[in-house]
């Protein structure tokens, strides 16, 4: 049995800008193994977000294939892609995107209840995750009442609430000061290690990148070891 949970095979992605074609990914290949953390470090505009969006089934590649846990995604219907994304992939963005009218606890419960979990079970798991992220004492506070680091820790807890196989993070500490960024990443890394998740994390922070299992970058539309 393979231990590959995410495989990007010959992926191409371009965008049209007026009369011009902007080529971002040119036959990119990438493999993420079970339990592995990989830093994606590349200059702005190199295609980090595009790669994460294609890997997370948020965008269709123009060519190539994305396999999630060995299953090809290109032939799936939109509903099937959504179901795969909901069950197998977690996302963390630079901005937390928490729902402002709900508490931290309710924000972490929401994806679980959408997936069919009972309110009691969702609440129990949400509290466990918030405790693990060392934010349990703020469970009943709304996002506006939390600091930036606290908001991001809630967003991380929400991203793994449905126990995905893969976590994709796009500059998850980019809006935080260095001290808070280090604290949040430490909590993120501990959660990934403890749960056996596989993570691809885009970051400009080389200190944070050095803590991961390996580093990749994007050069001329290709994913290469960094």
């Amino acid at each position: 049995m393979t231990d590959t949970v995410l495989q990007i095979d010959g992926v191409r992605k371009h965008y049209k800008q007026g009369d011009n074609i902007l080529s971002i990914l040119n036959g990119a290949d990438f493999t993420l193994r079970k339990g592995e953390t990989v830093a994606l470090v590349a200059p702005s505009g190199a295609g980090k977000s595009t790669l994460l969006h294609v890997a997370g089934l948020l965008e269709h590649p123009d060519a190539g294939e994305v396999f999630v846990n060995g299953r090809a995604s290109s032939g799936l219907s939109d509903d099937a892609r959504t179901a795969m994304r909901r069950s197998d992939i977690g996302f963390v963005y630079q901005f937390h995107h928490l729902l402002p009218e709900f508490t931290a606890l309710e924000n972490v419960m929401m994806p679980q209840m959408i997936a069919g979990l009972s309110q009691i079970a969702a609440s129990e798991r949400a509290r466990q995750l918030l405790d693990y992220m060392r934010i349990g004492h703020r469970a009943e506070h709304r996002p506006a009442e939390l600091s930036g680091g606290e908001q991001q820790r809630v967003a991380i807890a929400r991203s793994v609430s449905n126990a995905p196989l893969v976590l994709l993070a796009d500059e998850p500490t980019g809006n935080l000061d260095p001290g808070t960024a280090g604290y949040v990443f430490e909590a993120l890394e501990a959660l990934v290690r403890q749960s056996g998740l596989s993570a691809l994390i885009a970051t400009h922070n080389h200190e944070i990148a050095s803590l991961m299992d390996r580093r990749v970058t994007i050069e001329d539309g290709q994913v290469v070891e960094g």
Side-chain angles (χ1 to χ4, degrees):
M1 176 183 286
T2 178
D3 66 348
T4 297
V5 293
L6 174 68
Q7 181 178 341
I8 294 171
D9 187 7
V11 161
R12 297 182 180 275
K13 185 68 181 177
H14 67 266
Y15 300 97
K16 192 169 183 180
Q17 290 189 334
D19 294 331
N20 299 318
I21 298 296
L22 183 61
S23 185
I24 304 296
L25 300 176
N26 297 308
D29 298 314
F30 173 74
T31 298
L32 182 66
R33 294 181 291 274
K34 182 177 174 60
E36 183 181 40
T37 60
V38 178
L40 174 58
V41 182
S44 296
K48 296 191 302 294
S49 294
T50 298
L51 181 68
L52 290 171
H53 288 171
V54 170
L57 311 185
L58 292 171
E59 294 188 40
H60 290 269
D62 296 313
E65 184 61 90
V66 177
F67 299 88
V68 179
N69 203 27
R71 186 181 179 194
S73 62
S74 64
L76 299 177
S77 67
D78 286 344
D79 285 347
R81 285 171 64 88
T82 298
M84 179 182 282
R85 193 164 56 240
R86 183 181 296 151
S87 64
D88 293 343
I89 302 170
F91 294 91
V92 184
Y93 298 98
Q94 186 170 347
F95 186 70
H96 58 78
H97 294 297
L98 297 173
L99 298 172
E101 66 271 30
F102 295 105
T103 65
L105 181 69
E106 291 166 341
N107 267 280
V108 181
M109 289 172 61
M110 198 71 63
Q112 301 175 72
M113 295 179 66
I114 290 172
L117 211 63
S118 71
Q119 183 174 341
I120 292 174
S123 176
E124 181 178 348
R125 175 162 171 78
R127 287 190 185 278
Q128 289 174 347
L129 287 168
L130 290 173
D131 284 342
Y132 198 87
M133 294 300 294
R134 292 174 283 183
I135 193 82
H137 62 292
R138 305 284 275 166
E140 304 303 331
H141 290 73
R142 288 181 170 80
E145 301 169 311
L146 303 175
S147 70
E150 289 171 338
Q151 291 168 346
Q152 199 64 331
R153 279 182 279 160
V154 174
I156 291 167
R158 180 184 59 183
S159 73
V160 300
S161 61
N162 280 337
L165 297 170
V166 177
L167 179 67
L168 302 174
D170 194 355
E171 297 287 350
T173 61
N175 279 335
L176 306 176
D177 65 80
T180 303
Y183 186 81
V184 168
F185 182 77
E186 180 184 308
L188 169 60
E189 184 185 36
L191 180 62
V192 168
R193 301 291 188 191
Q194 186 272 341
S195 61
L197 265 170
S198 305
L200 176 61
I201 301 174
T203 180
H204 281 110
N205 189 319
H206 290 271
E207 184 176 343
I208 285 176
S210 70
L211 300 174
M212 296 186 230
D213 295 324
R214 61 188 175 99
R215 181 188 308 206
V216 298
T217 188
I218 300 175
E219 293 180 359
D220 299 322
Q222 301 278 332
V223 179
V224 298
E225 292 294 325

